[in-house]
Amino acid sequence: MRSSWSNKLSLIFGPRPPLNWLLLCLISVLALIAVLGSSSSNTFDSLTPISVPDIYTNYRRLKEQAAVDYLELRSLSLGASRQRELGLCGRERENYVPCYNVSANLFAGFKDGEEFDRQCEVSRNRERCLVRPPKDYKIPLRWPAGRDVIWSGNVKITKDQFLSSGSMTKRLMLLEENQIAFHSEDGLIFDGVKDYSLQIAKMLGLSDDSQFLQAGVQTVLDIGCGFGSFGAHLVSLNVMAICIAAYEATGSQVQLTLERGLPAMIGNFITRQLPYPALSFEMVHCAQCGIVWDKKDWTLLLEVDRVLKPGGYFVLTSSTSQPYGSSLSMKNSMLTPMEEMTPKICWTLKAQQYETFIWQKTVDSDCYTSRKQGAIPLCNEGHDVRSYYKPLVSCISGTTNKRWTPIRNRSSRVQPDDFFEDLQIWRSALKNYWSLLTPLIFSDHPKRPGDEDPLPPFNMIRNVMDMSAHYGGLNAAFLEERKSVWVMNVVPVNALYTLPLILDLGFAGVLHDWCEPFPTYPRTYDLLHANGLLSHLSSERCSMMDLFLEMDRILRPEGWVVLCDKVGAIEMARMFATQIRWEARVIDLQNGSDQRLLVCQKPFVKK
């Protein structure tokens, strides 16, 4: 005979209570026990012996844990499963790049070149799935071998497309059965990249290209960079060269450059400004980049002027395959309009040799006030603050900027105290990462079945993205430790605007809104790092699941993610990591704070 309590339950729920109700009750009891007295320390792997936290810290941790428990209970009550994994996208999305869909952009009404530009609003509602690697994808060769030899199955470029590429490219590359091999520097022929770089140096009055840094050239924007050979040579000279090129659906310069382990991102000279502040680069380079600079009332050239530092150089090399071919024809067809335009923006032609021309931007801001009437106007003060894909303008930017300093004098700039504090923090953090991840990443990487024994330096990491770079302290710590990596320092649009400082340090950096996809191809970064990004985005309009899907898209198979944040944010992040099939581990640093590390690795899914 049933008890009176059982009879009451039967009246409410029927003869058998629903399973979801019983599960919710059970989890609620467990959560209450945890809040009342149990320690959550067993949830985490600890790097150091467990210390007894003070009362306030313990209360704060329990409070945040209770919030996490509430969110998980809410998810379960709605019938969602925390462990449900997302499915794989179709094969047609193997090289999927959001925001760059010409047919969708045309359908949405974009025209006059805007259909080729970045249009993220068109891609808002897309299927949530994991972008899979191509059928023939292989883990890239360890650095530095991976700079000179890549797997052809990892990039979307066919043999016919390769063979039809530019003449210089064909001389610098060899296509083998399943590899694309780049000649080493010692094997370059007379008119190869090394001699081309030497030619530019001598045109600048230098004895050789090893003096680029002494001449103040430490960051170069390489437009339409081919397959990154010029940038690879500059990197060997400790010059940071960032490749930008337009999105290409049939095989990309940017994708192949990143596959070589070199800095690159999708960037267009079409209708919008690049996501860099004014006065960002000491040199802008365009070799056969296919841009007609006098289009749109010279606004494309004005964008070059905007990002070029005072005293910086614009290097333009024409195609030797053009019908006119000679420098004389080049002068008549292209140089004459440039000769008329460049004085209007205070540029002077410094040197010309064969099909290469070098203009230098003035170091004297008074030049703009002494120009003839009818010259290109100056932009309003403050116009170029946080230039994030704003429309191109027909005015000259940066002339009143506090960073207006000639390039040879920039090394004397005083860094703020916050930078040195940030650097000190990341010196210690990087050593902790090394202790944690070695031997998994940076040395003695475990041998995969069927692999040959790795050769020195065993480096599995080359392309690193710091998704919330702050002052670039992690990048600086990498350099101090002489690690053979480069870092894309991303400054979120609503964070402290430190990007000008990062670029002045000679680092690669870009402004980005993490509510949108990053302008790169799939599988182009080996390590993603973010400190405090999840908490920062919690008040934004961003979907955390979309953010993690984007991170998975740009991360290589077997790539790594290191997130540092508050305990509540990290626990939620671990839930998302499980849904996208990452192997995830939460680590309590036991430093008396409520910060945790989430270390994840993306598996190599071969389905």
Side-chain angles (χ1 to χ4, degrees):
M1 184 174 181
R2 295 179 178 176
S3 66
S4 60
W5 178 249
S6 179
N7 289 336
K8 291 178 181 179
L9 287 177
S10 298
L11 289 174
I12 298 173
F13 296 107
R16 298 183 64 184
L19 181 60
N20 285 349
W21 185 86
L22 292 175
L23 180 60
L24 184 60
C25 288
L26 177 60
I27 295 176
S28 299
V29 171
L30 293 175
L32 182 60
I33 293 173
V35 173
L36 290 176
S38 66
S39 171
S40 61
S41 61
N42 290 336
T43 306
F44 305 101
D45 299 312
S46 180
L47 291 179
T48 58
I50 297 176
S51 59
V52 180
D54 57 41
I55 296 175
Y56 173 76
T57 302
N58 192 47
Y59 168 76
R60 180 171 56 186
R61 291 179 181 176
L62 290 174
K63 184 178 179 180
E64 291 195 355
Q65 183 62 46
V68 173
D69 292 337
Y70 167 75
L71 291 172
E72 292 182 1
L73 288 171
R74 181 182 177 189
S75 177
L76 285 170
S77 67
L78 295 174
S81 172
R82 181 185 177 191
Q83 302 299 328
R84 186 182 62 189
E85 294 181 344
L86 292 181
L88 301 176
C89 303
R91 288 290 180 190
E92 71 280 359
R93 286 202 175 192
E94 289 176 356
N95 293 282
Y96 173 59
V97 181
C99 303
Y100 293 91
N101 187 324
V102 176
S103 57
N105 292 344
L106 286 170
F107 184 77
F110 292 101
K111 57 183 180 179
D112 298 328
E114 290 188 351
E115 66 272 20
F116 300 102
D117 218 333
R118 182 178 182 270
Q119 308 292 353
C120 289
E121 58 272 21
V122 177
S123 307
R124 287 288 183 199
N125 300 318
R126 59 184 187 273
E127 178 189 1
R128 284 180 170 174
C129 56
L130 303 175
V131 175
R132 70 175 79 191
K135 180 180 178 181
D136 298 328
Y137 184 86
K138 294 184 179 181
I139 299 299
L141 300 175
R142 294 165 177 81
W143 185 267
R147 178 191 57 200
D148 301 321
V149 179
I150 67 171
W151 301 110
S152 56
N154 289 10
V155 293
K156 191 174 182 181
I157 182 171
T158 66
K159 182 177 180 179
D160 291 340
Q161 290 167 346
F162 163 71
L163 293 176
S164 63
S165 59
S167 57
M168 181 180 292
T169 301
K170 285 191 290 187
R171 291 195 297 267
L172 294 177
M173 300 172 63
L174 295 174
L175 186 66
E176 300 179 1
E177 289 184 3
N178 58 354
Q179 295 179 339
I180 299 177
F182 299 80
H183 290 291
S184 65
E185 286 187 0
D186 294 337
L188 290 177
I189 58 177
F190 175 76
D191 58 345
V193 170
K194 189 172 183 179
D195 290 288
Y196 175 67
S197 177
L198 180 62
Q199 174 192 338
I200 292 175
K202 290 186 174 180
M203 291 174 69
L204 295 179
L206 308 175
S207 60
D208 57 57
D209 53 4
S210 66
Q211 294 184 338
F212 276 144
L213 287 175
Q214 298 176 23
V217 177
Q218 59 179 351
T219 53
V220 176
L221 185 67
D222 193 6
I223 307 170
C225 55
F227 297 142
S229 296
F230 182 58
H233 177 68
L234 291 179
V235 167
S236 71
L237 302 173
N238 295 319
V239 175
M240 173 55 69
I242 304 174
C243 160
I244 63 167
Y247 167 73
E248 300 167 85
T250 57
S252 167
Q253 304 171 61
V254 170
Q255 186 185 36
L256 197 147
T257 300
L258 282 162
E259 189 68 23
R260 298 183 64 187
L262 300 167
M265 61 178 287
I266 299 173
N268 290 351
F269 275 80
I270 300 179
T271 60
R272 300 181 184 180
Q273 294 179 351
L274 298 171
Y276 312 119
L279 318 180
S280 294
F281 301 95
E282 287 88 15
M283 179 182 288
V284 177
H285 174 259
C286 164
Q288 308 173 29
C289 62
I291 296 176
V292 182
W293 294 105
D294 58 355
K295 287 181 62 176
K296 301 181 186 245
D297 296 325
W298 295 96
T299 55
L300 304 181
L301 193 67
L302 289 174
E303 176 64 3
V304 173
D305 179 81
R306 184 184 72 85
V307 299
L308 198 59
K309 292 178 180 178
Y313 306 99
F314 178 51
V315 181
L316 179 62
T317 298
S318 71
S319 173
T320 55
S321 61
Q322 294 296 324
Y324 41 82
S326 67
S327 59
L328 179 61
S329 297
M330 175 70 179
K331 182 178 179 66
N332 293 333
S333 62
M334 187 278 295
L335 185 57
T336 300
M338 292 286 285
E339 280 182 326
E340 296 174 355
M341 177 61 182
T342 49
K344 298 178 181 179
I345 56 176
C346 290
W347 287 12
T348 56
L349 181 62
K350 184 173 181 64
Q352 182 261 323
Q353 185 176 349
Y354 304 111
E355 280 77 27
T356 297
F357 301 80
I358 300 179
W359 286 269
Q360 185 173 24
K361 181 175 178 176
T362 184
V363 299
D364 183 9
S365 59
D366 292 336
C367 170
Y368 300 99
T369 58
S370 61
R371 295 172 301 160
K372 296 179 180 179
Q373 189 174 5
I376 305 296
L378 304 182
C379 298
N380 295 329
E381 187 173 355
H383 164 80
D384 54 3
V385 176
R386 295 182 188 256
S387 300
Y388 186 67
Y389 296 109
K390 294 180 179 178
L392 293 173
V393 295
S394 298
C395 56
I396 299 173
S397 304
T399 57
T400 59
N401 196 302
K402 295 180 180 178
R403 296 169 55 243
W404 184 279
T405 307
I407 59 175
R408 292 175 186 257
N409 298 335
R410 300 191 75 86
S411 59
S412 62
R413 290 176 58 89
V414 178
Q415 305 299 343
D417 293 338
D418 290 347
F419 166 75
F420 294 102
E421 294 176 5
D422 190 55
L423 175 58
Q424 188 62 35
I425 292 171
W426 287 112
R427 282 171 178 161
S428 175
L430 190 61
K431 291 179 180 178
N432 288 336
Y433 291 166
W434 242 252
S435 304
L436 174 68
L437 299 176
T438 302
L440 297 179
I441 293 183
F442 295 98
S443 66
D444 299 331
H445 189 283
K447 180 179 169 184
R448 287 182 293 271
D451 275 6
E452 297 179 356
D453 290 334
L455 299 174
F458 313 118
N459 196 351
M460 292 301 296
I461 298 295
R462 176 61 180 174
N463 298 351
V464 176
M465 175 184 284
D466 194 351
M467 300 172 65
S468 183
H470 201 47
Y471 286 102
L474 180 63
N475 195 154
F478 271 120
L479 290 178
E480 283 193 354
E481 292 294 324
R482 299 178 180 271
K483 305 302 181 185
S484 58
V485 305
W486 71 274
V487 181
M488 178 61 79
N489 295 279
V490 181
V491 175
V493 288
N494 292 325
L496 182 67
Y497 191 48
T498 55
L499 183 57
L501 170 64
I502 289 172
L503 291 167
D504 284 348
L505 290 171
F507 300 161
V510 66
L511 193 65
H512 184 64
D513 184 351
W514 279 117
C515 296
E516 301 173 349
F518 191 80
T520 191
Y521 288 81
R523 304 170 297 277
T524 48
Y525 284 89
D526 307 316
L527 173 66
L528 303 179
H529 174 268
N531 178 33
L533 180 65
L534 302 181
S535 295
H536 173 74
L537 294 179
S538 62
S539 61
E540 302 290 330
R541 66 188 186 280
C542 306
S543 162
M544 284 297 169
M545 176 53 75
D546 288 341
L547 174 65
F548 275 76
L549 283 171
E550 176 64 5
M551 292 167 66
D552 183 81
R553 183 185 74 87
I554 67 179
L555 188 65
R556 295 188 192 278
E558 298 191 2
W560 294 82
V561 177
V562 178
L563 302 177
C564 181
D565 219 305
K566 295 180 180 179
V567 59
I570 288 296
E571 279 298 311
M572 292 300 295
R574 180 164 63 173
M575 181 180 70
F576 291 125
T578 301
Q579 288 186 272
I580 60 176
R581 310 185 185 196
W582 291 354
E583 299 174 6
R585 178 186 178 194
V586 179
I587 297 170
D588 185 353
L589 297 175
Q590 294 295 327
N591 57 3
S593 73
D594 58 354
Q595 299 292 305
R596 298 291 187 273
L597 282 182
L598 181 67
V599 179
C600 307
Q601 186 177 29
K602 176 180 175 178
F604 190 173
V605 179
K606 297 185 178 181
K607 293 182 180 180

